[in-house]
Amino acid sequence: MMHIVAICGAGVGTSGILKVNAERALARLGREATVTASDAASVQTAAADAQIILTSPELVHAIGKTYAEIIVVNNYFDLDELAEKLEEALS
Amino acid sequence: MPLPPLPDAAINLHAGAGDWRGAVRLAGDALTEGGFTTEAYADRMIEVIEEFGAYVVIAPGLALAHARPGPDVLRSGIAVVTLAEPVVFGHPHNDPVNVLIGLAVTGTEEHVTTVAELANVFNNADSIPALAAAPTAERVREILGARAAE
């Protein structure tokens, strides 16, 4: 199963919203993946087996080295933006 | 699963903030007035942004101010602040901000239902401008689908 990690600074709140809406966008695309939420400090462990990291433009620099594809999300509530970016990363 | 109760004391409409720190402090004040946090929580919400940047501005015009669970969180809850004059947080796409949701949680798991409900509300793109224009606390609760008390 594909693993997608949503990252925020504190690990509560914004990453949870990103996780919920990523799951909705995946459902819309008819794709399956495990989506988890984590914070920037533990991204290296949380995303060790992840194929995709979802985050804010402000947090890209905090992620460091990763083999995962990083998707930068501007509007966490815009399912069109999320679905478009996820579809591109999954294709 | 509805949002946690949102009492009038946790709602501050068309307030003057000056800058983003002032705006986050207003969200902290509203959480404290609502009985959810002590005053120290506002400082921790500001520290999160100082450390990680303006990522809390998660949609155009909207900041979700929050920090990790801690002893300054008395019970989980949200607060709503709207600003008379928007402030800049430094987000590359979503500035300026005129609506803040303050979020306080006592544990990392229990926030999940609250944020899922917030996602439901804000997946409707009209919700942010509607909140910004809301004239009364009652209207804010109506937009969010929240109750005033348990």
Side-chain angles (χ1 to χ4, degrees):
Chain A
M1 177 76 85
M2 170 161 310
H3 182 199
I4 299 174
V5 182
I7 298 292
C8 80
V12 296
T14 56
S15 58
I17 285 178
L18 199 47
K19 169 182 150 63
V20 166
N21 279 335
E23 286 167 348
R24 289 173 183 171
L26 287 165
R28 186 194 280 189
L29 295 171
R31 306 293 290 252
E32 283 196 13
T34 305
V35 188
T36 56
S38 185
D39 61 272
S42 40
V43 61
Q44 288 299 333
T45 10
D49 68 338
Q51 285 79 33
I52 293 173
I53 295 174
L54 295 168
T55 196
S56 155
E58 288 284 299
L59 287 176
V60 172
H61 71 279
I63 291 171
K65 278 193 175 174
T66 175
Y67 291 109
E69 180 167 352
I70 297 174
I71 299 181
V72 175
V73 183
N74 294 321
N75 183 341
Y76 282 29
F77 295 110
D78 185 346
L79 293 181
D80 292 339
E81 177 187 348
L82 269 165
E84 189 181 310
K85 290 179 173 176
L86 280 167
E87 187 165 39
E88 194 182 320
L90 291 169
S91 62
Chain B
M1 184 75 190
L3 287 170
L6 182 60
D8 285 4
I11 299 173
N12 186 356
L13 300 180
H14 309 296
D19 59 13
W20 71 261
R21 280 186 181 78
V24 173
R25 196 160 291 287
L26 288 175
D29 290 346
L31 282 167
T32 301
E33 290 296 315
F36 302 116
T37 65
T38 69
E39 287 171 7
Y41 189 70
D43 293 321
R44 290 208 299 123
M45 292 197 295
I46 289 170
E47 284 164 16
V48 166
I49 299 169
E50 285 172 342
E51 182 174 1
F52 294 108
Y55 81 92
V56 300
V57 187
I58 55 176
L62 176 76
L64 182 71
H66 65 294
R68 289 187 176 84
D72 46 13
V73 180
L74 306 174
R75 59 195 174 97
S76 297
I78 63 165
V80 175
V81 174
T82 65
L83 301 176
E85 297 292 334
V87 299
V88 168
F89 275 68
H91 191 283
H93 298 278
N94 296 336
D95 272 330
V97 167
N98 56 0
V99 177
L100 288 93
I101 306 287
L103 172 71
V105 292
T106 55
T108 50
E109 291 305 317
E110 75 180 270
H111 72 283
V112 172
T113 50
T114 301
V115 298
E117 190 50 46
L118 285 174
N120 285 340
V121 172
F122 289 109
N123 284 345
N124 177 353
D126 296 334
S127 294
I128 297 169
L131 276 180
T136 61
E138 196 50 55
R139 177 70 186 128
V140 168
R141 281 191 289 267
E142 191 185 322
I143 294 162
L144 294 177
R147 299 147 299 143
E150 296 282 2

